[in-house]
Amino acid sequence: MNAEDLRFFLAVREAGSIKGGARALKVDHSTVSRRIAALEEALQARLFERTPEGLVETDVARAIFSIAERIEILTGELE
């Protein structure tokens, strides 16, 4: 698992969409999609269900949210 992928997860969760996360991170939406897919593969679980109305968090996404936030804070402190 890549800690940087957690930053992408947090951005998508905050924005509620891949494109919104991409705008917040100032990267292409395909990059965000790829990073979310990599994190899902590493966790062997879906983080978001894709629906016509948009993304819906899964139970796994809700479960890892606070951990991902703490990792982002700690990574920032290390930098």
Side-chain angles (χ1 to χ4, degrees):
M1 180 181 334
N2 181 334
E4 185 71 4
D5 291 341
L6 294 173
R7 189 169 68 93
F8 284 76
F9 162 71
L10 292 171
V12 169
R13 185 182 183 278
E14 173 88 18
S17 70
I18 297 289
K19 287 186 180 185
R23 278 192 299 276
L25 295 169
K26 296 181 174 72
V27 298
D28 191 76
H29 69 89
S30 63
T31 300
V32 176
S33 291
R34 192 170 51 253
R35 299 300 288 264
I36 294 296
L39 183 56
E40 289 177 332
E41 185 175 323
L43 295 171
Q44 296 182 347
R46 300 288 281 166
L47 295 171
F48 302 100
E49 294 297 327
R50 286 124 178 112
T51 70
E53 293 77 33
L55 296 181
V56 177
E57 281 185 307
T58 65
D59 290 340
V60 173
R62 286 187 286 280
I64 71 164
F65 170 66
S66 64
I67 297 167
E69 272 193 323
R70 285 187 302 204
I71 290 170
E72 183 177 45
I73 290 167
L74 291 171
T75 300
E77 289 176 7
L78 283 171
E79 291 173 349

